[in-house]
Amino acid sequence: MKYDVKNFTIEEKIKLLSGKNNWETNDLDGKLPSVFLADGPHGLRKTNDEQTKCGTVPATAMPSLAVLSSSWDRELCYLNAQTIADDCIENNVDVLLAPGVNIKRSPLCGRNFEYFSEDPYLTSELASSYVDGLQDRGVGTCVKHYCLNNKEYERIYQSSEVEERALREIYLKSFERIVKKAKPLTIMCSYNKVNGVPMTENKWLLKDVLRDEFGFDGLIMSDWCAVKNPYKSAKATLDLEMPARSLSYPILKEAYDRGLITEEEIDFCVQNLFNLIERLENMKEKRKVSFSIKERHENAVKIASESIVLLKNDGVLPIKSGNVLISGNKLNEPAIGGGGSSNVKPRTKVLSLQEELEKQGNIAKLSTVSASISETWSKQVYVVYDKAYESDSVILLITSKMGEDQDRQSIKLAPMIEDFINQVAKNNKKVTVCLFTGSAVDMSAWIDNVSAVIWCGFAGEGVFSALAQILTGKISPSGKLSESYPLSIDDTPTGLNLGDAFVDNYSEGLMVGYRYYDKYNKNVLFPFGYGLSYANFEYSDLNIEKQTGTDYIVKFKIKNTSDIDAKEISQVYVKDVCSSVIRPEKELKGFSKNLIKAGETVEVSILLDKSSFSYYSVPLKSDYVENGWFEILVGSSSKDIKLVGKIKINLPETEQISTEYVKTVDEIYDNYWGNIVFSMPED
Ligand code: GLC
């Protein structure tokens, strides 16, 4: 090892348990290299101490993770990360504080735009590619926020109370799979408590589970200002407190002098920092910029164009000609990102939708009116209604911001905005609503009155170029929702409940997102995995080939029956037909995105393995596959199942918990009762 704890004094080692400033690890006055840490998941946010927390160097503003995940495309996630890596390399950033992989338990969570999905399989598949994309270019990653930080309300104090199967199968599963698949260099420990113990002191989750069970051998850092007690955190193997806190050294030194923390415990954490430094040094030759600024912008456009989701279209799209009115709220401040630490200052000028449409041509005449819809009516809206009436079609750009540190109080748009949409729809029968929102929206007040709905999310600097291509049919939309859109917040597992500031009870257990709506037969506005295309697809020829006891190859064909090339996301769900424990109706265990040319057919192959069938057995303390029938469901969404296959898993009895009696029950009772002699007392 290049850096060895034996060569440092205890005082030096204690200093290393906390940062040097807001963004760097301690370098012991040059005795060590500092590691520069910077946000964020949607592009580089590099502030320095002089700048405000939201000040940052200009960088490529990539789509938010909620948008990126709607691409269902591992290669695109890799490209997304490679693009951000270039900005990191140019700005000497060693570790990017990303990706965020918390599960979207409630659509109210203010940071849902920063997370991938409600499903741990989709999250971990895409996030692993994201981690690979950065680390293959010599930039470390920081998978966050470990764990059960699923809302912003009282995130520093509130305890997430969860039973172990939900903990393992839903909330830890993403971290487990990413650690095993992509080996992130660092992990960020979250603010909250889990079952009453602050995550920064939760040795069971930090060491026993994350390190010893999952095999994580990197550095664990705290979320910013999350550490409550520095020596208890170090004892729990939280290696690095961020940011620097002057109080920490004297507390740690006194704790050491009093024997509350040993040198061995300190060495464990310090060695993880040394290992990080050495790993980054060994990755240095990979730190070569590969995209020009222009190419990075083009990547942002490409990724947004393959992630935006078409939710409704009565045929009004694509718009080929005519007098189009573009209006909406916040037209001059497009929501290309969300609020908080993931904020990015785009280096490339974000052109308006009108400018992008004009660049694309083929729409005869464009008129744009910016309607300042806010808490108070402005006369401007009447101009919009008037223009809408005289236009052939209308595109409404509707923004509803969200961000870190605050959850939403509703999943509806503001009443003024809902009314505005309905008023415009009274004046024009071809209204397309484009939503710039961070998470699910209750559209019940207006969706039946409009012709089309496109979810853009917070899609980065390329959003309007991407949207223009989709609106004009230059490309077919191919994104699909990575979270369910409920009809109402009351239909969700948690409703408006965000906990009582002390405890948030995850009483829904495993039934999160589509698992909940399936289990309780609840209708949704748009299901998990849903998204429309300009093309139509036919699924056929399902064939399931057994490889081993639990490995199967699922093959099926998809035909593009339309006259335009398009991409289709197919999904494979697994249903445990008869299980000894409660299980969701079905769970996503495979997906593929394929370009299918007009009129052509592709064959898709998806591998299932033991993890596709297993659940976490609490008594066995491990994942477990129970023999029996399973259904393999191939769908274009979680609700639109196209093909169904059945397989029976029959592992050796020695690998199974007994479910059948070795003898019949009668034999047992016969033997039992048969051996007993009843001696009646003498009369
Ligand atoms: C924030 C966020 C975290 C971010 C860190 C540094 O509070 O929770 O995601 O990386 O602080 O800005």
Side-chain angles (χ1 to χ4, degrees):
M1 284 178 287
K2 184 174 180 183
Y3 304 99
D4 194 320
V5 290
K6 291 196 288 295
N7 303 330
F8 294 82
T9 67
I10 188 66
E11 289 76 11
E12 287 174 325
K13 290 185 282 191
I14 288 175
K15 283 180 187 165
L16 294 174
L17 299 182
S18 185
K20 173 180 165 185
N21 51 40
N22 270 345
W23 305 108
E24 291 177 284
T25 62
N26 205 315
D27 62 352
L28 298 178
D29 300 325
K31 188 172 178 181
L32 273 174
S34 265
V35 174
F36 200 103
L37 314 167
D39 290 310
H42 310 149
L44 178 60
R45 177 180 81 110
K46 183 181 180 185
T47 63
N48 51 43
D49 287 340
E50 290 68 51
Q51 287 167 310
T52 62
K53 194 164 168 56
C54 294
T56 172
V57 299
T60 316
M62 302 305 287
S64 70
L65 295 187
V67 173
L68 177 63
S69 63
S70 304
S71 71
W72 290 62
D73 189 323
R74 298 171 180 89
E75 289 70 34
L76 224 49
C77 288
Y78 187 87
L79 175 67
N80 184 86
Q82 292 255 306
T83 306
I84 298 174
D86 278 353
D87 289 334
C88 293
I89 293 164
E90 285 175 345
N91 287 278
N92 301 313
V93 168
D94 299 307
V95 175
L96 186 73
L97 302 172
V101 299
N102 294 97
I103 292 297
K104 302 187 192 193
R105 174 177 176 242
S106 163
L108 294 172
C109 173
R111 290 185 86 172
N112 271 359
F113 71 95
E114 272 193 69
Y115 303 145
F116 286 87
S117 176
E118 66 190 35
D119 179 89
Y121 178 80
L122 180 61
T123 296
S124 51
E125 285 293 306
L126 299 180
S128 295
S129 297
Y130 184 106
V131 168
D132 288 342
L134 275 152
Q135 298 192 164
D136 286 355
R137 299 285 304 292
V139 179
T141 57
C142 181
V143 179
K144 65 189 187 180
H145 308 82
Y146 183 79
C147 54
L148 285 101
N149 181 178
N150 302 101
K151 80 177 85 54
E152 294 303 285
Y153 178 61
E154 296 290 354
R155 65 178 177 171
I156 294 181
Y157 303 106
Q158 190 163 249
S159 176
S160 300
E161 293 286 294
V162 66
E163 48 93 5
E164 188 156 8
R165 279 197 61 208
L167 172 67
R168 295 276 185 171
E169 296 180 38
I170 303 293
Y171 299 103
L172 290 180
K173 187 53 74 179
S174 302
F175 291 96
E176 176 183 6
R177 297 190 83 244
I178 296 163
V179 161
K180 290 175 178 175
K181 282 171 74 78
K183 300 187 183 338
L185 292 193
T186 75
I187 280 189
M188 185 185 289
C189 169
S190 61
Y191 288 114
N192 56 286
K193 299 184 183 94
V194 173
N195 294 338
V197 177
M199 272 310 300
T200 53
E201 301 171 18
N202 203 313
K203 188 170 184 181
W204 177 62
L205 284 169
L206 292 177
K207 184 180 185 306
D208 302 352
V209 174
L210 180 61
R211 294 184 191 278
D212 298 348
E213 276 189 51
F214 296 172
F216 177 65
D217 67 352
L219 176 133
I220 303 175
M221 69 178 81
S222 72
D223 200 339
W224 266 234
C225 311
V227 168
K228 295 164 174 64
N229 181 313
Y231 87 83
K232 289 182 181 175
S233 295
K235 288 176 75 70
T237 77
L238 189 146
D239 305 308
L240 175 67
E241 172 187 9
M242 287 305 290
R245 177 166 61 165
S246 56
L247 252 183
S248 292
Y249 181 83
I251 291 172
L252 282 158
K253 184 64 173 62
E254 183 185 344
Y256 170 72
D257 293 341
R258 290 171 48 189
L260 298 174
I261 184 169
T262 65
E263 181 160 15
E264 184 188 7
E265 288 172 317
I266 292 167
D267 286 353
F268 180 89
C269 296
V270 168
Q271 192 59 54
N272 286 327
L273 174 61
F274 289 167
N275 295 345
L276 173 63
I277 294 169
E278 194 163 352
R279 283 170 177 161
L280 287 167
E281 286 174 344
N282 295 340
M283 293 156 75
K284 264 208 180 357
E285 77 286 348
K286 296 180 182 177
R287 289 174 69 93
K288 293 182 182 63
V289 170
S290 63
F291 298 117
S292 68
I293 301 292
K294 181 171 179 292
E295 287 166 345
R296 286 174 230 173
H297 176 73
E298 287 164 355
N299 290 347
V301 172
K302 173 180 171 56
I303 292 162
S305 70
E306 301 203 14
S307 303
I308 285 171
V309 185
L310 177 60
L311 294 172
K312 177 181 180 181
N313 181 23
D314 68 1
V316 72
L317 297 178
I319 300 172
K320 291 297 185 189
S321 65
N323 179 350
V324 179
L325 168 65
I326 300 174
S327 184
N329 69 320
K330 301 184 191 318
L331 288 194
N332 301 320
E333 39 170 318
I336 61 169
S341 58
S342 65
N343 175 47
V344 178
K345 185 196 294 179
R347 182 197 294 108
T348 304
K349 181 177 183 310
V350 180
L351 297 182
S352 70
L353 177 61
Q354 177 177 4
E355 289 166 321
E356 292 290 357
L357 283 169
E358 283 165 353
K359 272 170 67 178
Q360 308 239 1
N362 87 7
I363 287 189
K365 183 170 172 248
L366 275 172
S367 63
T368 305
V369 176
S370 169
S372 54
I373 312 298
S374 58
E375 287 63 40
T376 56
W377 280 108
S378 68
K379 66 180 183 314
Q380 185 76 333
V381 290
Y382 300 106
V383 172
V384 174
Y385 301 152
D386 197 45
K387 278 223 168 268
Y389 186 74
E390 69 191 42
S391 300
D392 298 309
S393 63
V394 179
I395 299 171
L396 291 183
L397 308 182
I398 300 298
T399 293
S400 175
K401 296 230 175 188
M402 69 196 302
E404 186 176 347
D405 274 338
Q406 58 190 356
D407 297 309
R408 290 192 290 173
Q409 303 304 313
S410 163
I411 61 171
K412 295 168 80 72
L413 298 173
M416 287 288 188
I417 292 181
E418 291 185 326
D419 206 351
F420 169 69
I421 294 170
N422 286 328
Q423 293 296 341
V424 171
K426 282 179 184 162
N427 289 280
N428 190 295
K429 292 308 168 207
K430 293 187 174 182
V431 174
T432 296
V433 173
C434 300
L435 290 172
F436 299 81
T437 54
S439 189
V441 173
D442 172 350
M443 306 179 199
S444 51
W446 50 269
I447 189 168
D448 293 340
N449 303 330
V450 301
S451 296
V453 179
I454 297 176
W455 181 71
C456 301
F458 302 150
E461 63 184 55
V463 61
F464 288 128
S465 175
L467 181 56
Q469 294 180 62
I470 289 171
L471 288 168
T472 58
K474 189 174 177 186
I475 60 167
S476 168
S478 63
K480 293 198 176 183
L481 294 178
S482 59
E483 67 175 289
S484 307
Y485 273 44
L487 286 165
S488 150
I489 191 65
D490 299 333
D491 288 342
T492 63
T494 54
L496 288 167
N497 171 27
L498 293 171
D500 64 5
F502 293 94
V503 166
D504 187 7
N505 185 5
Y506 285 43
S507 55
E508 75 282 359
L510 295 163
M511 307 310 163
V512 175
Y514 67 89
R515 290 171 168 83
Y516 177 79
Y517 304 116
D518 281 354
K519 195 75 182 173
Y520 302 105
N521 290 316
K522 282 187 177 284
N523 291 326
V524 293
L525 177 61
F526 299 114
F528 174 79
Y530 172 89
L532 297 176
S533 169
Y534 292 150
N536 296 303
F537 302 99
E538 276 177 7
Y539 287 62
S540 65
D541 299 287
L542 174 61
N543 181 21
I544 303 169
E545 298 167 9
K546 180 171 180 176
Q547 309 295 301
T548 67
T550 53
D551 286 7
Y552 290 80
I553 295 182
V554 179
K555 291 186 178 179
F556 52 92
K557 291 178 181 171
I558 308 175
K559 180 176 183 178
N560 177 345
T561 56
S562 69
D563 58 1
I564 57 166
D565 299 349
K567 292 191 174 185
E568 168 66 349
I569 297 166
S570 51
Q571 302 148 43
V572 174
Y573 296 85
V574 173
K575 175 188 174 95
D576 187 340
V577 175
C578 178
S579 165
S580 305
V581 294
I582 293 173
R583 298 198 73 178
E585 278 302 294
K586 61 177 179 291
E587 298 183 281
L588 180 74
K589 297 297 179 184
F591 62 88
S592 179
K593 185 166 195 175
N594 302 85
L595 171 62
I596 311 174
K597 292 192 178 303
E600 295 195 358
T601 298
V602 298
E603 180 171 68
V604 179
S605 291
I606 288 175
L607 179 66
L608 300 180
D609 60 19
K610 178 180 176 186
S611 65
S612 308
F613 304 99
S614 64
Y615 67 85
Y616 183 79
S617 167
V618 176
L620 297 180
K621 293 189 180 303
S622 72
D623 289 340
Y624 172 70
V625 176
E626 182 176 36
N627 280 345
W629 284 102
F630 288 82
E631 284 182 359
I632 310 301
L633 310 162
V634 176
S636 65
S637 83
S638 62
K639 284 287 188 196
D640 187 1
I641 301 302
K642 303 286 190 183
L643 307 167
V644 179
K646 301 176 183 178
I647 59 162
K648 184 162 192 178
I649 288 188
N650 191 20
L651 297 173
E653 199 278 334
T654 50
E655 293 176 27
Q656 291 291 290
I657 302 167
S658 299
T659 49
E660 303 300 328
Y661 289 98
V662 173
K663 298 179 179 172
T664 66
V665 174
D666 294 345
E667 286 172 323
I668 289 172
Y669 277 109
D670 288 349
N671 289 347
Y672 180 79
W673 293 114
N675 295 336
I676 293 176
V677 178
F678 282 97
S679 54
M680 299 303 287
E682 294 295 326
D683 287 343

